[in-house]
């Protein structure tokens, strides 16, 4: 067990998990910190990061002894493994910032674990996609102790356009899951609405041009549908499988709170069913529309085509 | 029956129905036309308009013999009455532009009726609310004959920020109804999501600050909830009763096309039920949230209150 | 126009439409009437009926001049055609009993039409399937004038186990449509429930054995699932397409009454989607389960199989 | 820790929890066993049982050292407490039969706990209501080890009309939760359907008379609605709160299996919302209809009344 203690302002920061999001996020840290350590399970990525950004690729033990430790991995289960392995090496007073899109319950458990060790855990999932990570303009939704956030703030600020402290541990994960579920609902309903309009002779782009200047507007209508669906490009950035997972987290939150939420629950079911039908592991989220198109036999494109089935 | 014929570009325009929307819309016409006639069932309004904008308050027969006739009334049934009464006085080649949020089937019927008389009918509902009408920045969704739209275009353009020809007769009304139903779905789901978050200790404004910079953003999240609901102001601009009516039109469109649309249908049911419970005739649309709050016993405000029931 | 008038009790009866239901239904009439006339578009069927039951195959004009005329065809549109064609030949005071599963609005229109001609129309859809028609034990749900029903009662009674006067014109059709929609809801929910149970290791037959002796019992659980679905037999008796049509009628009734009914509406959407995917024109209603199985990837049989997709 | 071991056939049986169900269930055990022990938290009930049925009221330690131990309490949490307290006194080879309507996960945990102690746990919830308990005709849905069931069979058989082994541990609880959720769906949909019919002039009893002889029949239509709702009697036998709890268990099962089930989820939401509005702790399940009546403003009675709100 380390006997070192973090100073009042962090001097060393590290980043675990250099994926599509983590890699550019970690790159921004060098703007504000002299000592930026990076680690990745496949270590080549860490070396590449060092070359590209001037960070330092280090072993796991060294990385987790930083003042601020970031993690950004696919699931809360993987974060939990990292924490378990890091326990002996954590510096007292350090703050672990988990940017994973994780499970609220896991955040609470991790916060308790780290508190017993004299460290802190905050859940800090991000939105803004790869482009936001590259530009350093991500929105960060933080759950957990306010003073821990204050300590890590200068580090998070490197890649953030906006940092929002939303509540106690798990709050950040909760907001992220609900946000994604609302995105799913807005997208699904838009798919229904454009189907009905196309069946009545209105093409999707003309309808979107109106909706995007009206009360029905959403990120789904102004970005997802024109950029991914109507043009049938379906770029692979966020998998349908992960979307179904996030909707599932929202349903769990609803269950725990014993609250009614029939519309979120219905769309969670449809996303689950869609991800069971299309190649969910690789399909982009936007390909949910193919599931709906199979129902309606109406294709959401501007051509008057018939579905391939 | 008049024997006059409209010239190739309209020289006279008239506006029937000087309500909260129609009054400022008609005011913009004087920018481009020397002869702007106005008529209103309660005629005082027409006289007031003449004083304020320099239009000319005229009797019904005179108004409907213009080259371009606008109507803006609460329902398609009222438009149909106006048309019936106007039949003997219509100028051949004139174009009737109905800005009502009407029923697609009625637009088709009106277009047929006017075509037999040598005139034209286009459905041209607007979005952008009172403020858009005052500023002349409305979005206009037009269904019907393209050449009729071309003829009326300079007149519509006076109050429009955007004019979109979306399809044949009824198409404009269809897009408006679907747009409003999507607004209803996005709003309802957001109410569900914020309930769940508040139950987990996240206050609505903090959640909205994140959602509005993320994929879950919608007009509901960036305008309706902060401006009307979270601050509990519920300004009366668009009644819940009319929202329920528009969702009902969307369901009819779905039925006619024999298409599945379970999420729009569910929210249509909830809006109907909400309008049966609150004072729907006078309640603002945003007061639907009180119906959901009764379900959840969670109030969508930033205070930790309990519902009044 | 005929000048004959029906006597106080009917002496002549006729049956139009000798399909899977109508053929055996008409066969029972000979038990109580000497003069039973039958007519069918494909006239061979009428001749066959005469041979088998001792009825009399007659031309259309003769058939519709009976005291009581039954019709049993696929849709209300076809009933309306028959009535239009029959107008000149109807006997005053005669009662037309339409056993079609039709549209309430059409019943009201038909009742008005026949009243003007001095005749009567009652909507009298039946339930009990082919076996009930053969055994003469059908349930008959009657909407329309009570005295018209009283007049036709002895004829209807020939094939009925139960005759229920449920209300004014259209009421019979309304009850039939709602009944079928409830059947659809109960079946769909049971499909969901058995999927979840099978995923937890409980086979469908064991679950049904419990449910059928508990509060979750329904005709779907005690008849449809064991007899058609779990054994994968899917006998073709009532098409999925007609089920989707009946659910659509229920949605129209809901719309006309401006009532919320989210569960019936959701299942109406699913049945519509299912009938768009499977060969709905020929598929039995029970094959809706294949649509749900595609969602869940769980097959509702007692074998631990994986879906064919 | 006891060193006694259960014989091959049970000679001593005990019953913990003498509530509305447990009291008469335990009463049947004296038909087949000489030594029937009963225990209840409020011990008066146990003494009363001894007087009425000839059982023997004993202390907790004695009761849980029987060959077969029954428990019937409100929740799985309470069963878990009883087991924890009983651990030191259990006889090796004994079988604990839990008739609570519990949580599948808890059954698995309890089965593991008892297995380590050399005993067995089977989940054995019942259906058939108080009347079935009194008559000894309950349906028992058993999850867990088959040989443990075989051992306890003669005891269970005393109060059962049917014993169904449905699967491994938790399977019995799962079937019970799904059964109750199906009951909730069938009831809710019937409420919707009868609302629509009443709005079209068909009274509920006339509609039920048809539905109960048709494909839409369910336990809800043939028992719950005529016996409790249409006559507005709402006898208090099974609380709305417990129904909402059971629907919640079904949603958890769905989540664990990652399965779509939108209709069960929607009705789970409505039952939750209903139980938030009416006095759910004391209201009978059938009072859910008041929640729906508030939506529709249509009362499900045969009188043409308007709702009280």
């Amino acid at each position: 067990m380390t006997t070192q203690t973090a100073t009042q302002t962090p001097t060393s920061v590290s980043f675990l998990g250099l994926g599509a999001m983590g890699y550019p996020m970690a790159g921004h840290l060098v703007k504000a910190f002299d000592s930026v350590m990076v680690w990745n399970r496949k270590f080549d990525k860490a070396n590449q990061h060092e070359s590209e950004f001037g960070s330092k690729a280090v072993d796991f033990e060294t990385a987790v002894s930083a003042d601020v430790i970031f993690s950004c991995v696919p699931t809360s289960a993987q974060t939990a493994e990292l924490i378990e392995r890091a326990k002996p090496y954590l510096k007292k007073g350090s703050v672990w910032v988990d940017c994973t899109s994780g499970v609220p319950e896991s955040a609470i458990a991790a916060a308790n674990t780290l508190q017993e060790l004299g460290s802190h855990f905050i859940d800090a999932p991000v939105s803004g996609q790869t482009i936001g990570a590259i530009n350093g303009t991500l929105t960060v939704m933080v759950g957990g102790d306010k003073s821990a956030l204050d300590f890590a703030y200068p580090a998070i600020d490197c890649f953030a356009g906006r940092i929002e402290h939303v509540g106690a541990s798990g709050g950040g994960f909760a907001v992220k899951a609900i946000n994604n579920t609302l995105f799913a609902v807005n997208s699904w309903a838009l798919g229904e609405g454009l189907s009905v309009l196309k069946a009545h002779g209105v093409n999707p782009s003309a309808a979107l041009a109106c909706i995007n200047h009206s009360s029905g507007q959403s990120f789904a209508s102004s970005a997802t549908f024109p950029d991914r669906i109507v043009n049938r490009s379906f770029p692979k950035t966020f998998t349908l499988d992960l979307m179904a997972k996030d909707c599932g987290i929202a349903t769990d939150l609803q269950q725990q709170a014993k609250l009614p939420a029939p519309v979120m629950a219905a769309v969670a079911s449809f996303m689950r069913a869609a991800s069971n039908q299309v190649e969910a592991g690789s399909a982009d989220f936007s390909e949910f529309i193919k599931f709906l198109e199979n129902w309606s036999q109406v294709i959401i494109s501007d051509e008057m085509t018939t579905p391939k089935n």
Side-chain angles (χ1 to χ4, degrees), chain A:
Chain A
M1 183 80 68
T2 176
T3 54
Q4 284 183 283
T5 299
T7 48
Q8 275 194 310
T9 54
T11 55
S12 62
V13 299
S14 66
F15 207 107
L16 316 176
L18 302 169
M21 293 298 285
Y23 190 87
M25 287 164 73
H28 290 290
L29 296 172
V30 298
K31 296 186 297 195
F33 293 90
D34 293 331
S35 170
V36 175
M37 295 173 281
V38 294
W39 175 88
N40 196 57
R41 199 171 294 259
K42 295 183 181 169
F43 205 71
D44 283 356
K45 268 283 174 190
N47 288 327
Q48 183 186 335
H49 199 274
E50 179 174 317
S51 305
E52 186 171 345
F53 292 106
S55 59
K56 197 162 172 52
V58 300
D59 62 21
F60 185 80
E61 299 182 20
T62 310
V64 297
S65 62
D67 293 342
V68 173
I69 308 117
F70 288 94
S71 55
C72 191
V73 290
T75 66
S76 278
Q78 289 167 269
T79 300
E81 283 174 30
L82 294 177
I83 288 175
E84 189 58 32
R85 184 174 162 198
K87 276 181 179 177
Y89 313 109
L90 293 171
K91 188 185 286 183
K92 275 203 193 315
S94 66
V95 175
W96 188 301
V97 182
D98 188 25
C99 299
T100 302
S101 289
V103 178
E105 281 178 318
S106 301
I108 295 167
N112 288 338
T113 299
L114 265 69
Q115 191 166 28
E116 285 169 19
L117 299 170
S119 289
H120 305 278
F121 177 94
I122 59 180
D123 46 305
V126 300
S127 71
Q129 302 186 299
T130 322
I131 187 72
I134 291 167
N135 293 339
T137 56
L138 295 169
T139 296
V140 189
M141 316 159 197
V142 183
D145 191 57
K146 180 65 165 59
S147 61
L149 168 59
D150 289 343
F151 181 74
Y153 199 99
I156 299 172
D157 202 34
C158 294
F159 55 72
R162 165 175 290 260
I163 301 170
E164 197 73 34
H165 184 234
V166 299
S169 275
F173 287 162
V175 172
K176 183 75 197 293
I178 294 293
N179 174 77
N180 282 11
T181 304
L182 294 173
F183 179 35
V185 170
N186 299 352
S187 297
W188 179 272
L190 185 55
E192 288 185 358
L194 295 179
S195 301
V196 171
L197 286 173
K198 187 164 179 180
H200 284 271
V202 177
N203 83 40
S205 291
L208 287 170
C210 298
I211 291 166
N212 284 331
H213 291 83
S214 302
S215 56
Q217 181 276 335
S218 63
F219 182 83
S221 70
S222 50
T224 310
F225 271 68
D227 298 349
R228 293 168 181 245
I229 291 177
V230 178
N231 64 13
R232 313 307 283 178
S233 64
F234 305 114
K236 297 192 188 309
T237 56
F238 177 57
T239 66
L240 181 50
D241 213 31
L242 284 174
M243 173 57 86
K245 183 201 74 170
D246 286 349
C247 292
I249 295 175
T251 303
D252 282 335
L253 286 168
Q254 166 193 355
Q255 284 281 98
Q256 289 156 16
K258 293 183 192 292
L259 283 180
V263 170
M264 295 203 303
V267 173
S269 270
F270 301 154
M271 290 297 159
R272 174 57 59 200
S275 85
N276 282 347
Q277 289 206 334
V278 299
E279 295 164 53
S282 64
D284 186 62
F285 154 68
S286 56
E287 297 184 60
F288 85 88
I289 200 74
K290 296 177 183 175
F291 176 67
L292 178 56
E293 290 170 346
N294 245 332
W295 286 19
S296 63
Q297 304 287 304
V298 175
I299 297 294
I300 304 304
S301 71
D302 289 338
E303 289 168 40
M304 292 294 163
T305 55
T306 47
K308 285 153 284 191
N309 258 344

